[in-house]
Amino acid sequence: GFLNDINGRHLRAEHVAAAIDGAAGGPIEEGSVGGGTGMVCFGFKGGSGTASRIVDHPAGPFTIGCFVQANFGPRRNLTIRGRRLGPDLAEPALIDRTPAREKSSIIGVIATDAPLLPHQLIRLARRAPLGVALTGGYAYHSSGDIFLAFSTANGDALTAPKTSVASTTFVPDSALDPLFDAVVQTVEEAILNAMVANQDMEGRDGNFVPALPRDRVAAAFA
């Protein structure tokens, strides 16, 4: 790894158990947390980010939530709300003293309480890369992009007695567009949140990744 010794196998069973035991509800931490600690996004400190939207629907409202781990993109491509700011943010520079760096990637999980069928959840997951593209992520050769979507609805169908016929409800395909909007928006925002929530980090071998200069980004939109 670039910032950490990812191949050192330092994570042990007791760490996993402690993480599970310490799980709690409430706001999700963002930035350099958990698996996002060693991540770099557009040459700035990346990591974990989240966002959500409320979608109006006659049977709703429904919630779309997104969690990402962002570790991708060259700085020149960084785009924030339609403005390509990367070329204007060449400094502070990333310091790279490790010859071989990890390949880039992004993992995104879409969660919703909208009742959807499996093929519809696949369609939601396929919209996630559009949110990545809005930030300047173009799925280059070495990038590993993984997106999943799930729904918490229709739980009763799983517990139906064997002697009965289970039934589910679902949003018609023709009414999915507002959910697609929400997926694209939340993925874009979650990636930016992962960067905004971060600080500078120095890792192994003196490798250094600066945080996104929030003051300069704010000034660009003033």
Side-chain angles (χ1 to χ4, degrees), residues 170-197:
F170 62 93
V171 176
D173 284 350
S174 58
L176 291 178
D177 284 353
L179 297 178
F180 293 159
D181 285 345
V183 169
V184 175
Q185 292 174 16
T186 55
V187 170
E188 177 192 22
E189 183 179 321
I191 293 168
L192 297 177
N193 286 346
M195 300 172 68
V196 168

Side-chain angles (χ1 to χ4, degrees), residues 50-78:
T50 185
S52 63
R53 293 290 187 276
I54 302 296
V55 179
D56 290 329
H57 188 276
F62 299 129
T63 300
I64 291 282
C66 171
F67 175 80
V68 303
Q69 289 195 324
N71 184 58
F72 69 95
R75 189 175 299 189
R76 66 179 183 275
N77 290 346
L78 174 60

Side-chain angles (χ1 to χ4, degrees), residues 133 152 164 167 170 193 207:
T152 60
S164 68
S167 62
F170 62 93
N193 286 346
N207 293 331

Side-chain angles (χ1 to χ4, degrees), residues 66-69 106-110 125 128 145-149 187:
C66 171
F67 175 80
V68 303
Q69 289 195 324
I106 179 170
I107 299 172
V109 180
I110 310 298
D145 307 332
I146 302 171
F147 302 102
L148 304 173
V187 170

Side-chain angles (χ1 to χ4, degrees), residues 77-86 88 134 217 219-222:
N77 290 346
L78 174 60
T79 302
I80 298 179
R81 303 304 297 140
R83 299 182 63 174
R84 193 166 185 175
L85 297 181
D88 298 326
L134 288 178
V217 172
F221 286 91

